[in-house]
Amino acid sequence: MVDERIIGETPAVRVATGSENHHDGRELLHEANESETSVTTAEVGSVGHIDLEPLVVATVEGKTAFFSRPSTERMETITRTLGEGTVPTDGAVAVVEHDPETARLPTPETGPLGTGVRRVLGGCGWLAPTSIEEYTDVRGERFTDRAEDDPESVRTHVMTSDLRGRGRGDASGDASVAAEWTTVYETADDPVVVVNGNEPDEHADSDRLLLESAPLLVVDVALASAVALGATDVVIYTNETEQIARERTRKAAAALDDVTDTEIPIRIITGPDEYKAGEPTMALEAIEGNHRIEARRRPPGPNEHGVDGRPTLVHTPRTFAQLGQILNGTGPVGASADPGTRLVTVVNDDTTAATVELSTDATLEAALSAVEPDSGWSGACVGGVFGGLTRSLDVPASASGLRSARLGTNGVVELLDKSTCMVALAGERATFAKEMNCGRCVPCREGSKQLVDLLHRVYDGEYKDGRLRELVRIMRTTSLCGFGRDAARPVTTAIEEFETEFTAHAKGHCPTGICNRS
Amino acid sequence: MSTDPIWERSRNDEPDVPLAENIAPGTANDPDAGATESATVTVDGQRVETETGATLLDACQAVETRGDVLALCSYDDSQKIGPRSECRTCVVETERHGVVPSCSFPPRDGMTVYTDTERASEARDVNLDLLLSNHNLLCTTCGKNGRCELQDVSIENDVIEPRYGVMHDRSELEPLDDSSPFIQIDRNKCILCNRCVEACNDVQVEGVLRMEGSAEDTRIGFQNGAETMMESTCVSCGHCATVCPTGALLEQGLVDATTLPVPGFTHKNSAEGIVDGEYDHQPTQRTPMKSELETQNEPRVNERFTTTGDDRS
């Protein structure tokens, strides 16, 4: 039987899927319900390892076995074995013993599922995503209730923390969340809290993962933030195409609204499935309903002039999840200047991807076991579509660590093997910038055009590195929003780290062979 | 008979329906620029007192600066136009915030600003050249020759040869919009400063012009979806042409005002194509002006993202 509540049930089977494998997951769940009625079943969100999913999580007492993409026949066997009171282990990718009442996904020590830590991701793939009863039981006290009882303690916790924003969609960027809160709180006029969950970057999966697998956590912290800041509106801004994330978030918001009495309306507004629309000020434009989305001039930023000109706190789901950790007071973790964890999606060769959680004082290398790259990799693009190219992942997962390595902070590590041409990759990203920008400011709109042109010329034998460096410098320092400032990063880092490839191309030779024109 | 003085019955309150309600210029809801309080700043070593509402550009213009702060797209914001801050040719370097666009950056007490650092000068140079790279630089057949702000700042900035070249390939040119008997549009000269859109919407409250498209397809278009000026709801007030810094919007009578007097050497001959030159045969020389039809792109709630065709490249 399907239950809204799954924690502590035994025997139990959870089917974990993200939107990618949702249909297959539904079939397995159906099969489990058909074949054995004494087993409690639940549809849960992705654990982050979409390539292992649908992931069947079979539990009896304090023992859990994981099965990756089983057939329906196999599913039937698993469920029947569970019905007999035994955990099936045949063909399991991992078997783990744990506290029967644990609220976190039990994971093995090694292998993909054992990669990283599970603090904000703890409930992902383990808790029923939209069950407010289960969420409340596990937490003891909801963040929103606590904020209503003592808003000042919530503010103080956040405003004295060293937490930094997570993700390009966060208005505080990589800078202090406390400063953002202080400005919103001190600006007159009723504030708005925005959950910016629109991240159309192809590989940056963290926000979607949180909204699909732990929507109650995100919405609860956002609502608590609204109470603490005296805000009168919460807006959850998602991508139009992310239907499961939106539906679960809607349910989570409705459930929270039922059990709390904040009288703060939570609206869900969708934006276009375009990379630019995740930029915080373009998110504001989409929320206001502008038919054309372009970046908004700053300063003052969204924290003073946000939705309809009201002071607005814009955080990503990732940041709200970190704020939950701060409010939990579960002890410091990570680098002192950038406490907490960072969600990182590791992409190997465009065929496997997994989102894992790293302490900010771990290095990015710690994430690699999530995808078990076998063929060896020769470089990586770190930070999403406008990430930085590097040969080494011996880089701390903190904002300052990533920044000093000139890499991006948007939580993506794309592994690149020897067949990747760095010049072609840089050109591809420059072309993306040229085609996808909002069109407002000159350094981004015209700069990206000239950047593509200068890269074309490399193939004509003209590698003007001075011109290239000058242009990317100006794009980075004078663009109006984060889109243009980040857009130059792939080219900047490609020149720094792989310059010999540029000079080789200018001589008509592509080291990987893929650019050689006939 | 009432003995109330006449002004007792006067209505000085705002109209119930804001005039701008149905206007959709396609631009962002920018905050007010300028400082919220007066300040004392240092520009190139000189002390400047600034008022509430001032920008760093005001401070730079109050003294003799060492670097030329070009500020091409900037316009007098007391006239409800700008700062758009799109051209980024006004950047200066501050000690605390690095390079910033002076046209919209608020002076804060104790701020130290330099106009002639390498980073600031380089940024202004590069951004000006980027503007020129997308501009049809046929000044000799342009009606704005000699009174063009882009030409002025290029001369001021000693531009000899723009580093990214200029737009000269005829296949890249957009046709001239010569459909209106009053105003001609040459988008090949537009720098997307948005002044015309603001003059049309925020000052004249006519709701004709808008910013449309994105990336390299960003252009000035019409709120009623028309393709040409004559099919738009233009009332030919001319404010757009008045504020245009280049030859992109010109009064028809001035189209060849500064062209060299050589036979066949005209502005129209310099363009690749012309749209609707034959307005003489139209029933009226006026555009349809205001129509009762709603604009096609009014802000709507929630269903608005279903079509993105116009804005995609």
Side-chain angles (χ1 to χ4, degrees):
Chain A
M1 51 175 269
V2 181
D3 204 323
E4 267 293 271
R5 205 178 174 292
I6 186 83
I7 279 286
E9 296 292 328
T10 182
V13 66
R14 295 165 168 87
V15 180
T17 63
S19 42
E20 204 137 313
N21 314 298
H22 194 240
H23 181 72
D24 294 347
R26 276 279 163 90
E27 281 188 358
L28 290 177
L29 196 65
H30 179 73
E31 181 61 39
N33 287 327
E34 291 285 293
S35 48
E36 184 60 61
T37 50
S38 65
V39 177
T40 307
T41 64
E43 176 182 278
V44 292
S46 168
V47 299
H49 294 262
I50 51 172
D51 299 300
L52 300 178
E53 293 169 1
L55 186 71
V56 171
V57 185
T59 306
V60 179
E61 300 293 323
K63 188 174 178 188
T64 292
F66 295 87
F67 299 89
S68 174
R69 306 184 162 199
S71 64
T72 45
E73 294 78 38
R74 180 110 196 89
M75 188 72 215
E76 194 192 341
T77 321
I78 293 169
T79 323
R80 255 194 282 110
T81 317
L82 282 174
E84 292 158 10
T86 345
V87 175
T89 52
D90 208 18
V93 289
V95 181
V96 185
E97 300 210 9
H98 55 89
D99 168 11
E101 298 291 326
T102 181
R104 280 164 202 274
L105 180 77
T107 49
E109 296 283 309
T110 56
L113 289 171
T115 305
V117 293
R118 281 192 170 262
R119 290 170 63 94
V120 303
L121 293 185
C124 295
W126 190 246
L127 301 184
T130 56
S131 167
I132 186 74
E133 298 82 16
E134 183 172 87
Y135 176 79
T136 308
D137 279 2
V138 164
R139 291 216 50 75
E141 187 191 25
R142 287 182 293 259
F143 294 113
T144 305
D145 297 328
R146 177 170 154 198
E148 291 218 283
D149 289 346
D150 190 357
E152 197 185 339
S153 107
V154 170
R155 283 197 304 273
T156 311
H157 255 84
V158 176
M159 293 185 190
T160 55
S161 78
D162 295 314
L163 185 70
R164 291 162 183 271
R166 297 285 190 273
R168 69 177 183 105
D170 198 291
S172 48
D174 296 328
S176 161
V177 165
E180 200 71 12
W181 276 55
T182 306
T183 310
V184 172
Y185 188 62
E186 287 175 354
T187 304
D189 296 336
D190 44 0
V192 184
V193 168
V194 170
V195 180
N196 183 4
N198 187 357
E199 175 50 280
D201 186 321
E202 187 187 4
H203 295 311
D205 279 340
S206 309
D207 288 328
R208 180 178 57 200
L209 175 64
L210 287 169
L211 291 183
E212 286 181 355
S213 300
L216 280 161
L217 169 70
V218 175
V219 181
D220 187 20
V221 180
L223 191 56
S225 305
V227 172
L229 292 168
T232 48
D233 279 290
V234 172
V235 174
I236 301 170
Y237 172 64
T238 68
N239 187 322
E240 194 171 52
T241 51
E242 303 292 358
Q243 291 187 14
I244 293 177
R246 201 165 74 238
E247 185 53 23
R248 289 192 182 152
T249 310
R250 191 189 59 72
K251 278 190 186 157
L256 262 174
D257 191 53
D258 277 349
V259 297
T260 56
D261 42 22
T262 62
E263 289 176 14
I264 299 175
I266 306 175
R267 287 183 296 151
I268 301 193
I269 296 184
T270 55
D273 184 20
E274 293 173 43
Y275 181 82
K276 68 178 181 197
E279 193 276 332
T281 66
M282 291 196 242
L284 298 175
E285 290 295 316
I287 289 166
E288 286 181 15
N290 201 335
H291 68 279
R292 179 175 173 274
I293 308 289
E294 66 172 24
R296 208 178 260 192
R297 173 169 49 67
R298 276 172 285 201
N303 53 19
E304 290 178 68
H305 181 97
V307 175
D308 296 327
R310 294 157 62 189
T312 302
L313 183 78
V314 184
H315 284 322
T316 57
R318 282 172 272 179
T319 306
F320 281 115
Q322 295 294 331
L323 278 173
Q325 293 292 313
I326 295 281
L327 295 176
N328 275 340
T330 37
V333 64
S336 58
D338 179 16
T341 58
R342 182 174 296 279
L343 298 184
V344 177
T345 306
V346 193
V347 184
N348 186 24
D349 199 22
D350 270 344
T351 54
T352 52
T355 302
V356 296
E357 182 174 358
L358 299 179
S359 168
T360 50
D361 55 5
T363 67
L364 295 176
E365 274 168 343
L368 293 184
S369 56
V371 296
E372 300 183 309
D374 45 3
S375 64
W377 49 278
S378 56
C381 178
V382 178
V385 66
F386 292 149
L389 302 182
T390 176
R391 289 180 197 275
S392 162
L393 289 176
D394 186 17
V395 176
S398 65
S400 56
L402 290 162
R403 206 178 314 119
S404 51
R406 316 188 75 170
L407 304 179
T409 53
N410 203 24
V412 180
V413 174
E414 282 167 82
L415 297 176
L416 309 168
D417 63 18
K418 287 198 164 57
S419 68
T420 309
C421 171
M422 299 300 172
V423 180
L425 183 67
E428 185 189 294
R429 302 299 161 92
T431 307
F432 182 88
K434 172 184 155 176
E435 291 172 356
M436 303 311 285
N437 69 74
C438 80
R440 177 161 182 172
C441 75
V442 164
C444 180
R445 183 187 70 233
E446 303 301 332
S448 57
K449 273 158 78 174
Q450 295 305 325
L451 188 59
V452 170
D453 190 54
L454 287 172
L455 291 172
H456 275 154
R457 289 188 193 195
V458 173
Y459 289 86
D460 297 333
E462 247 186 282
Y463 170 50
K464 298 183 171 177
D465 74 312
R467 276 272 183 275
L468 270 166
R469 285 174 211 268
E470 173 190 72
L471 180 57
V472 292
R473 190 160 57 234
I474 299 312
M475 288 177 70
R476 189 181 72 239
T477 56
T478 70
S479 286
L480 192 139
C481 80
F483 185 109
R485 287 197 295 269
D486 293 346
R489 190 185 289 118
V491 176
T492 311
T493 49
I495 297 173
E496 294 296 326
E497 193 90 338
F498 300 95
E499 185 155 31
T500 50
E501 294 203 16
F502 284 80
T503 47
H505 278 75
K507 288 176 187 152
H509 170 66
C510 170
T512 62
I514 64 166
C515 300
N516 288 344
R517 295 173 302 175
S518 52
Chain B
M1 194 178 126
S2 170
T3 52
D4 289 347
I6 190 83
W7 58 83
E8 287 287 292
R9 296 283 183 97
S10 73
R11 294 175 50 188
N12 59 358
D13 48 350
E14 293 289 311
D16 289 345
V17 179
L19 283 169
E21 192 187 36
N22 289 322
I23 289 182
T27 48
N29 168 13
D30 282 346
D32 289 337
T36 48
E37 47 198 36
S38 56
T40 306
V41 300
T42 310
V43 179
D44 291 342
Q46 305 159 80
R47 239 173 92 98
V48 185
E49 311 276 339
T50 59
E51 307 277 309
T52 305
T55 63
L56 278 186
L57 183 61
D58 295 326
C60 291
Q61 287 172 343
V63 293
E64 191 75 25
T65 55
R66 276 187 248 147
D68 290 325
V69 182
L70 307 171
L72 173 58
C73 77
S74 164
Y75 197 72
D76 183 355
D77 60 8
S78 67
Q79 300 191 32
K80 294 189 180 178
I81 294 176
R84 173 75 173 164
S85 203
E86 68 99 26
C87 77
R88 317 302 259 194
T89 65
C90 66
V91 300
V92 295
E93 186 159 355
T94 62
E95 271 181 4
R96 178 176 281 193
H97 308 277
V99 292
V100 298
S102 65
C103 73
S104 56
F105 206 88
R108 290 179 192 135
D109 226 13
M111 201 176 240
T112 306
V113 179
Y114 300 98
T115 61
D116 64 340
T117 62
E118 198 181 322
R119 295 209 299 164
S121 315
E122 177 190 67
R124 294 192 301 261
D125 290 352
V126 169
N127 284 331
L128 178 57
D129 278 1
L130 283 171
L131 274 165
L132 291 168
S133 74
N134 193 39
H135 184 83
N136 182 1
L137 209 61
L138 292 175
C139 298
T140 46
T141 55
C142 179
K144 271 288 187 77
N145 194 4
R147 53 190 190 99
C148 166
E149 293 177 43
L150 179 57
Q151 194 179 47
D152 290 346
V153 299
S154 301
I155 293 167
E156 187 183 351
N157 209 44
D158 299 325
V159 175
I160 304 296
E161 196 178 338
R163 41 166 93 51
Y164 310 111
V166 296
M167 189 167 68
H168 53 75
D169 186 351
R170 286 180 82 97
S171 65
E172 286 178 21
L173 299 180
E174 271 206 61
L176 285 183
D177 181 349
D178 199 36
S179 62
S180 154
F182 301 108
I183 295 158
Q184 187 194 65
I185 310 179
D186 183 354
R187 291 190 175 82
N188 306 302
K189 290 174 180 163
C190 175
I191 61 163
L192 297 171
C193 69
N194 204 50
R195 286 186 199 172
C196 57
V197 175
E198 288 175 67
C200 183
N201 294 292
D202 301 343
V203 186
Q204 300 297 334
V205 203
E206 288 299 340
V208 179
L209 295 175
R210 69 169 174 185
M211 192 64 82
E212 64 182 19
S214 63
E216 44 192 337
D217 300 324
T218 312
R219 71 203 282 269
I220 302 298
F222 304 102
Q223 290 181 33
N224 68 349
E227 269 307 306
T228 65
M229 192 67 144
M230 197 60 184
E231 290 160 3
S232 76
T233 53
C234 176
V235 297
S236 305
C237 75
H239 204 149
C240 56
T242 305
V243 298
C244 182
T246 70
L249 286 157
L250 261 181
E251 297 86 345
Q252 284 285 14
L254 300 174
V255 161
D256 279 314
T258 50
T259 303
L260 289 175
V262 177
F265 194 62
T266 65
H267 181 48
K268 281 185 196 173
N269 285 351
S270 76
E272 176 59 17
I274 292 166
V275 173
D276 272 345
E278 298 176 10
Y279 49 80
D280 291 346
H281 305 295
Q282 290 172 181
T284 164
Q285 287 215 335
R286 298 193 319 177
T287 63
M289 305 221 290
K290 289 274 168 263
S291 77
E292 292 304 312
L293 295 173
E294 291 179 20
T295 55
Q296 291 188 351
N297 50 1
E298 270 173 57
R300 285 182 297 273
V301 177
N302 277 335
E303 67 214 51
R304 54 194 174 260
F305 299 112
T306 47
T307 54
T308 52
D310 279 350
D311 288 349
R312 299 293 287 268
S313 56

